[in-house]
């Protein structure tokens, strides 16, 4: 094979080969890990391949192939190393309190303003002793990341629970330590629902654009009822598991949880290996209707 002989040879035992093979064919694992697994498998199965040829086969850069050949010699894992940098100055609880403040009316906090701004939120957060000091730019950046516009007030944004901080604390701690828990074989999963999704079918197909005529889309549709969506989010990796049901009832929610637990190994690779029971810390929306 053309090119210089690779400096670092990849050696795999039987267990490592099986794990990398499974990961290389996964559709739910993070793409970067799938790509790394394919690099290592090619380097092991075809030792005569040059780094350039492997990069061409996988669809990545030559430097990436060199990097993971060398990384495998030191640590046989495709997981990313913890990123270096300054620790977070503000914990998740303080950020959530400021976000909750932005979702309330200024008048509810004894302020005469009609709407919030970054400077006013920072000032009020210091006055209420949420933080010792914070800049308006930091507050605005948080709100922009969460896609919250404090000048647009919606009632559903405001928490009416007086014990909001006490209840939010344990949940935020789980989210904060999700990466560490995943390394110990524990998965933090957040489950929520999306109700009354309208299923509609257009009466005629969409026609493509032709010269001097735009795309034609049917303005009439046939109702096919509504669907109930349950979705589970793997906090550490961002992978999701979702199912749709025709009705909103607690029995369907139980079926969703059962299928999630039974198929934990296929839904979230690495968390239920060897048929072991994977402990899931679940935070889900409570049902309040007595008829469910």
């Amino acid at each position: 094979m053309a090119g210089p002989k690779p400096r670092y040879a990849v050696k795999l035992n039987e267990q490592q080969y099986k794990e990398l093979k499974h990961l290389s064919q996964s559709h739910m694992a993070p793409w970067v890990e799938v790509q790394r697994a394919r690099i290592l498998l090619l380097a092991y199965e075809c030792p005569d391949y040059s780094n350039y040829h492997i990069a061409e086969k996988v669809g990545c850069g030559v430097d990436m192939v060199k990097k993971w050949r060398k990384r495998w010699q030191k640590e046989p894992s495709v997981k990313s190393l913890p990123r270096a940098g300054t620790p977070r100055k503000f914990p998740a609880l303080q950020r959530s309190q400021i976000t909750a403040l932005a979702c309330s009316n200024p008048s509810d906090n004894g302020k005469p303003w009609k709407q919030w701004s970054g400077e006013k939120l920072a000032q009020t957060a210091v006055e209420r002793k949420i933080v010792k000091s914070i800049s308006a730019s930091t507050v605005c950046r948080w709100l922009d990341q969460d896609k919250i516009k404090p000048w647009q007030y919606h009632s559903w944004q405001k928490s009416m629970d007086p014990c909001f901080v006490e209840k939010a604390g344990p949940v935020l701690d789980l989210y904060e330590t999700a990466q560490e828990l995943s390394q110990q074989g524990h998965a933090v999963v957040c489950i929520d629902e999306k109700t009354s999704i309208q299923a509609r079918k257009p009466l005629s197909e969409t026609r493509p654009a032709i010269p001097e005529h735009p795309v034609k889309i049917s303005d009439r549709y046939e109702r096919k009822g509504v669907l109930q969506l349950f979705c589970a989010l793997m906090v550490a990796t961002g992978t999701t598991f979702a199912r749709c049901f025709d009705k909103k009832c607690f029995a369907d929610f139980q079926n969703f949880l059962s299928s999630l637990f039974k198929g934990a190994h296929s839904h979230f690779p690495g968390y239920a290996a060897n048929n072991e029971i994977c402990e899931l810390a679940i935070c889900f929306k409570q049902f309040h209707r007595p008829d469910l």
Side-chain angles (χ1 to χ4, degrees), residues 47-65:
D48 295 333
Y49 276 15
S50 67
N51 292 332
Y52 175 82
H53 194 71
I54 293 176
E56 191 178 44
K57 287 278 188 180
V58 177
C60 65
V62 178
D63 290 340
M64 184 175 180
V65 178

Side-chain angles (χ1 to χ4, degrees), residues 41 47 63 93 98-99 110 146 160 175 197 226 237 239 248 286:
L41 283 173
D63 290 340
L93 184 59
I98 293 178
T99 302
D146 294 335
M160 305 298 294
Y175 279 28
I197 302 175
V226 295
T237 63
T239 55
K248 178 185 178 182
Q286 298 286 345

Side-chain angles (χ1 to χ4, degrees), residues 1-162:
M1 191 61 62
K5 185 177 180 180
R7 182 178 179 183
Y8 299 98
V10 175
K11 298 180 180 180
L12 305 175
N13 57 38
E14 185 177 353
Q15 181 64 25
Q16 290 172 338
Y17 182 79
K18 288 182 179 179
E19 291 177 356
L20 289 177
K21 195 71 174 178
H22 179 269
L23 180 60
S24 67
Q25 300 171 352
S26 174
H27 295 282
M28 299 190 68
W31 168 244
V32 290
E33 295 182 8
V34 174
Q35 198 174 47
R36 294 164 187 171
R38 293 177 180 176
I39 290 173
L40 295 170
L41 283 173
L42 275 175
Y44 173 73
E45 295 173 345
C46 307
D48 295 333
Y49 276 15
S50 67
N51 292 332
Y52 175 82
H53 194 71
I54 293 176
E56 191 178 44
K57 287 278 188 180
V58 177
C60 65
V62 178
D63 290 340
M64 184 175 180
V65 178
K66 294 178 180 179
K67 172 183 177 181
W68 284 98
R69 276 183 177 272
K70 184 177 180 181
R71 175 80 64 84
W72 188 260
Q73 307 295 324
K74 299 179 180 179
E75 184 179 358
S77 173
V78 296
K79 300 289 184 181
S80 300
L81 296 177
R83 293 182 179 273
T86 306
R88 290 183 179 179
K89 182 178 180 181
F90 302 100
L93 184 59
Q94 289 181 336
R95 175 170 176 170
S96 66
Q97 287 179 283
I98 293 178
T99 302
L101 183 64
C103 294
S104 65
N105 275 327
S107 58
D108 296 336
N109 297 274
K111 301 298 181 181
W113 311 312
K114 291 184 178 181
Q115 62 185 32
W116 291 111
S117 65
E119 293 79 3
K120 294 172 182 177
L121 283 168
Q123 175 187 335
T124 306
V126 174
E127 291 176 357
R128 297 184 59 177
K129 298 182 179 179
I130 297 176
V131 293
K132 291 184 178 179
S133 63
I134 189 171
S135 66
S137 60
T138 299
V139 175
C140 291
R141 186 174 68 252
W142 288 352
L143 297 180
D144 183 62
Q145 291 172 353
D146 294 335
K147 301 193 184 318
I148 293 176
K149 300 176 181 179
W151 55 89
Q152 294 180 354
Y153 174 77
H154 300 283
S155 60
W156 53 265
Q157 291 179 331
K158 182 181 178 182
S159 175
M160 305 298 294
D161 192 343

